[in-house]
Amino acid sequence: KKTPSTESVTPEGVTIQRLHEIQDLLAEHWERTHVTTAIDPKHDGVFGVSFYVLRLLDELMGIGVGNGILGRLGIRTLFEAHVNLRYLLSKDDPELWKKWRSYGAGQAKLNALKFDDNLDPPKYIDASSIEQIAGEDIWEEFLSINLASWSGADLRKLSERVNLKTGYDTHYSWTSGYAHGNWGAVRESCFQTCGNPLHRLHRYPERRHMEDVVEEATMIVDTILDDLATTYPTFQYRLRQSKENSEQSLKER
């Protein structure tokens, strides 16, 4: 049995080792709660999103990533996954879980069709993989492609419905500029202000140091694990658990 290491784990920080141990423990919990070999959109969705955000956080903890542009893109994606999962759980509608899953499969079908139509996929896209995703639940011919939002609402509205609007304003609004390459993001990441008043405080190009997103990202991931644990009890492990709490969790395990 794998157990989470308590060395070098503090409430203020998280080690890569602990993150990997949480991933392993979550895989064990997935196996304990996996009750059918049939399609289970809810179970796959809750655990899938949790594994996804843990992998994303793992990449954000790479040297220099959290301080850069990719760090801002990463925390934006983390928060979007958090809102979507919270909304799905708040509704807890089997048809909505199917709709969310079908939407993702439909996007795979849409791209697979593009690559079938004399368009060569870029090297980073595995065309056979997205073809498999498009057709693994139902025959691809019977799968609809939804070009709108899977939920019928934008993320801002979803965040309001699940009481995460403050998080939306904190983590999503500004970082969206990085996803779109807006001037604000370009200015913050690539320019400095000249300190010479005779130069009218003009901007000059320089790779700016930006604050690390990992601490905030870890908090979001732990909140997603809270939602998973509520839906599929009992999973008590968190990334920002103190040594004392970790030892208590081990005793209870």
Side-chain angles (χ1 to χ4, degrees):
K1 279 290 190 181
K2 304 175 182 68
T3 57
S5 169
T6 58
E7 296 181 3
S8 303
V9 178
T10 68
E12 293 78 30
V14 178
T15 65
I16 290 287
Q17 180 185 7
R18 182 172 180 81
L19 187 148
H20 291 171
E21 289 165 343
I22 294 289
Q23 288 175 318
D24 291 340
L25 288 161
L26 187 61
E28 291 180 3
H29 191 52
W30 173 89
E31 187 173 2
R32 286 193 299 270
T33 56
H34 188 237
V35 296
T36 177
T37 56
I39 296 172
D40 189 345
K42 180 178 178 179
H43 190 269
D44 286 348
V46 174
F47 278 87
V49 169
S50 299
F51 283 120
Y52 183 78
V53 298
L54 281 168
R55 176 169 179 173
L56 181 51
L57 179 59
D58 191 358
E59 295 178 10
L60 287 175
M61 293 175 72
I63 297 174
V65 177
N67 296 99
I69 294 170
L70 293 180
R72 273 78 190 147
L73 299 178
I75 200 166
R76 178 184 187 268
T77 300
L78 281 174
F79 183 74
E80 184 164 359
H82 178 31
V83 172
N84 286 332
L85 181 59
R86 179 68 64 83
Y87 180 73
L88 284 162
L89 290 173
S90 70
K91 294 296 184 182
D92 202 20
D93 179 355
E95 292 304 314
L96 191 60
W97 284 105
K98 291 178 183 178
K99 186 176 181 181
W100 176 78
R101 182 181 176 110
S102 177
Y103 176 84
Q107 295 302 301
K109 175 182 176 179
L110 176 63
N111 284 276
L113 291 173
K114 291 178 180 178
F115 297 136
D116 285 341
D117 190 23
N118 299 319
L119 177 65
D120 292 329
K123 291 182 179 180
Y124 64 85
I125 289 183
D126 182 351
S128 62
S129 175
I130 63 174
E131 288 175 357
Q132 180 182 350
I133 294 169
E136 63 186 359
D137 286 350
I138 62 174
W139 286 107
E140 183 180 336
E141 290 80 0
F142 299 105
L143 179 65
S144 298
I145 298 175
N146 182 1
L147 298 178
S149 167
W150 66 269
S151 64
D154 59 33
L155 196 76
R156 184 179 186 276
K157 291 179 181 178
L158 292 186
S159 70
E160 291 173 344
R161 294 173 186 176
V162 294
N163 298 318
L164 291 175
K165 179 58 166 55
T166 300
Y168 177 91
D169 293 336
T170 302
H171 300 298
Y172 195 83
S173 182
W174 178 249
T175 56
S176 290
Y178 280 83
H180 302 307
N182 290 347
W183 166 244
V186 171
R187 165 67 179 82
E188 183 178 48
S189 61
C190 300
F191 285 93
Q192 288 280 15
T193 300
C194 177
N196 189 337
L198 299 179
H199 291 175
R200 297 183 297 176
L201 302 178
H202 74 286
R203 266 67 57 192
Y204 63 92
E206 181 174 284
R207 179 173 177 169
R208 292 187 58 185
H209 169 79
M210 296 187 289
E211 295 300 320
D212 201 326
V213 305
V214 168
E215 182 175 357
E216 299 282 352
T218 302
M219 294 171 63
I220 296 173
V221 172
D222 271 349
T223 304
I224 291 172
L225 293 177
D226 288 341
D227 288 344
L228 176 141
T230 300
T231 309
Y232 293 101
T234 301
F235 187 76
Q236 68 268 48
Y237 305 106
R238 301 295 181 272
L239 292 159
R240 290 174 58 84
Q241 216 163 26
S242 67
K243 180 175 181 179
E244 292 76 14
N245 288 338
S246 292
E247 291 172 345
Q248 181 62 34
S249 293
L250 288 173
K251 291 178 182 178
E252 295 172 353
R253 191 165 182 241

